[in-house]
């Protein structure tokens, strides 16, 4: 049985001139998850991006980028919008650098495809470990380490995406 990882993705820029919520709104609209760290030149690869992030920002940000890019496809992602509503998604592809003006404007340039549920998750359905990670605050992408969070999140995913073929089309389903 495959148990997908669960991550917290605040998608809040470290730049104070970027409004809270702007990156999450963009991510939900275009189906991505990401981290910030604008670069002066478009990197040709993830390795180039990590070196550039370390040089232009810091080593910690470069390591965070690498952890984000290395997260397995199918991993669950939790974020919160500017109103504090919880959203659940699943990673669905590889890292890329988004050099569009829109990505630059919200500092969400290191992105991966993400399939988001179509509406916010009711607060009562958000696993306690996920609620705790958001209460602690911060702007970091991080894995949620709790023995129950994967199964709880999978149950929320199934409930929020249920349809005639939901279980059959989910190769990582825990059902």
């Amino acid at each position: 049985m495959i148990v997908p990882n669960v991550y917290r993705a605040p998608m809040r820029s470290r730049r104070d001139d970027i409004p809270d919520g702007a990156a999450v709104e963009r991510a939900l609209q275009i189906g991505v998850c990401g981290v910030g760290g604008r670069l002066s030149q478009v990197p040709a690869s993830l390795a180039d991006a990590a070196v550039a992030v370390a040089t232009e920002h810091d080593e910690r940000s470069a390591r965070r980028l690498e952890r984000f890019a290395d997260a397995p496809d199918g991993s669950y992602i939790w974020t919160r919008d500017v109103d504090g509503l919880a959203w659940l998604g699943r990673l669905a592809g590889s890292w890329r650098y988004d050099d569009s003006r829109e990505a630059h404007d919200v500092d969400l340039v290191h992105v991966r495809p993400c399939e988001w549920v179509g509406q916010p998750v009711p607060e009562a359905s958000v696993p306690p470990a996920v609620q705790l990670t958001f209460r602690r605050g911060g702007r970091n992408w991080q894995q949620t380490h709790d023995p129950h969070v994967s199964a709880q999140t999978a149950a929320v995913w199934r409930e929020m995406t249920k349809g005639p073929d939901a279980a059959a089309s989910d190769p990582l389903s825990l059902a």
Side-chain angles (χ1 to χ4, degrees), residues 22-37:
V24 171
E25 183 178 325
R26 176 169 169 73
L28 294 171
Q29 286 175 352
I30 67 169
V32 298
C33 178
V35 296

Side-chain angles (χ1 to χ4, degrees), residues 140-160:
N140 292 341
W141 158 271
Q142 62 184 197
Q143 187 171 354
T144 303
H145 298 281
D146 176 273
H148 308 290
V149 73
S150 290
Q152 291 168 340
T153 299
V156 174
W157 179 265
R158 285 191 302 272
E159 179 64 26
M160 299 289 295

Side-chain angles (χ1 to χ4, degrees), residues 7 14 33-39 41 43-72 91 93-98 107-112 139-142:
Y7 294 90
R14 295 189 179 293
C33 178
V35 296
R38 298 177 191 166
L39 298 173
Q41 294 184 358
S45 67
L46 175 59
D48 291 345
V51 169
V53 167
T55 301
E56 295 182 35
H57 299 283
D58 58 44
E59 284 290 331
R60 289 181 65 201
S61 296
R63 287 192 303 272
R64 200 169 12 260
L65 170 60
E66 290 170 329
R67 285 192 306 272
F68 167 70
D70 287 343
L91 291 178
S94 302
W95 167 91
R96 70 180 172 86
Y97 187 82
D98 184 346
D107 192 21
L108 192 68
V109 293
H110 301 280
V111 297
R112 293 181 61 179
R139 301 179 188 201
N140 292 341
W141 158 271
Q142 62 184 197

Side-chain angles (χ1 to χ4, degrees), residues 1 6 13 24 36 49 67 71 73 80 91 93 113 134 138-139 141:
M1 171 178 11
V6 177
S13 177
V24 171
R67 285 192 306 272
D73 279 353
R80 290 201 182 266
L91 291 178
F134 280 100
R139 301 179 188 201
W141 158 271

